[in-house]
Amino acid sequence: MARYLDVHPTDPQPRAVAQTVAALRADAVIAYPTDSMYALGTRMDNHAGARRIRRLRGLDDKHHLTLVVAEFAQLGPLVTLSNRAFRAVKAVTPGPYTFVLPATGEVPRRLAHPKKRSVGVRIPDDPVVRAILRELGEPLLSSSLIVPQPDGGQQWPMTEGWQIAEELADVLDVVVDAGDRGTTPTTVVDWTSGEPEVLRVGGGDPTRFQTG
């Protein structure tokens, strides 16, 4: 049964943050708020947690999860940024964007695209998850919280933590509830070719990454 933590959306209680981080360090899978919608997360090195997230999402091993960090400076060990990408990513983060970038050798092979050796990274503009990430001191391996329906279709994202707790209490370890986070996903921008390619339009303004 998942532990339910009701946290303040802009000033998260240190005790709740510490409880969440302690659970993550014990290889928990959590539901947590972001600046776009709720997400599933676990420690980057938690193999079993990654499998649980994929199973919850109905994803196969070819679908790669995103690495979520608190600060721009934490991207350095994870991805390679050209000067142009560096300036562009820094200008819009933190915010509702996911960037697909070449992975460094620090990123385990199982987390990177097998051919491109790329990985998705994200710096959310949300006080709750940023507090969790700072306390944890490492990236969260993450995926948007959209679970499949019994008929194989995709369920509309759950917008409230209490709703997640009611529906997924048996398959999660912690639910961090910080109120309504909506249903809009991140804008996804692929930089692996050297030029930005918008793969999905979401909460972040895509126009600065669109050419032609």
Side-chain angles (χ1 to χ4, degrees):
M1 183 66 67
R3 184 171 194 172
Y4 176 78
L5 298 173
D6 187 3
V7 302
H8 193 279
T10 59
D11 188 19
Q13 303 92 317
R15 179 178 174 82
V17 171
Q19 290 172 333
T20 303
V21 170
L24 285 166
R25 288 176 176 156
D27 288 340
V29 172
I30 70 169
Y32 69 93
T34 79
D35 51 352
S36 60
M37 52 193 288
Y38 276 88
L40 300 167
T42 194
R43 287 180 59 250
M44 185 170 71
D45 293 332
N46 183 1
H47 296 216
R51 288 193 296 270
R52 287 173 62 189
I53 289 174
R54 288 195 174 94
R55 191 160 57 245
L56 266 167
R57 286 287 322 272
L59 304 173
D60 60 28
D61 290 342
K62 295 178 182 178
H63 184 101
H64 293 283
L65 307 180
T66 300
L67 296 177
V68 181
V69 298
E71 311 289 348
F72 181 83
Q74 292 176 308
L75 293 180
L78 303 173
V79 293
T80 300
L81 288 155
S82 66
N83 288 337
R84 185 180 171 200
F86 180 99
R87 291 191 298 269
V89 173
K90 190 172 178 60
V92 298
T93 56
Y97 294 88
T98 299
F99 294 98
V100 181
L101 291 155
T104 68
E106 297 294 313
V107 176
R109 282 191 167 275
R110 63 187 173 81
L111 301 182
H113 189 283
K115 294 182 180 178
K116 292 184 178 181
R117 277 293 296 160
S118 59
V119 67
V121 293
R122 168 139 157 67
I123 310 171
D125 187 16
D126 183 274
V128 177
V129 66
R130 286 166 70 84
I132 292 169
L133 286 162
R134 290 189 184 107
E135 180 79 11
L136 182 63
E138 62 180 278
L140 271 179
L141 187 64
S142 186
S143 182
S144 299
L145 205 169
I146 306 173
V147 296
Q149 295 178 328
D151 63 3
Q154 287 292 318
Q155 178 177 325
W156 196 248
M158 288 175 272
T159 63
E160 301 268 9
W162 62 264
Q163 180 188 13
I164 296 166
E166 280 191 358
E167 296 196 24
L168 301 177
D170 292 338
V171 291
L172 293 173
D173 300 305
V174 176
V175 175
V176 181
D177 185 355
D180 192 332
R181 282 299 186 271
T183 61
T184 304
T186 59
T187 291
V188 180
V189 183
D190 188 336
W191 275 93
T192 55
S193 70
E195 294 290 331
E197 179 186 357
V198 178
L199 302 182
R200 180 180 71 196
V201 175
D205 180 7
T207 56
R208 68 174 60 229
F209 302 106
Q210 292 170 330
T211 58

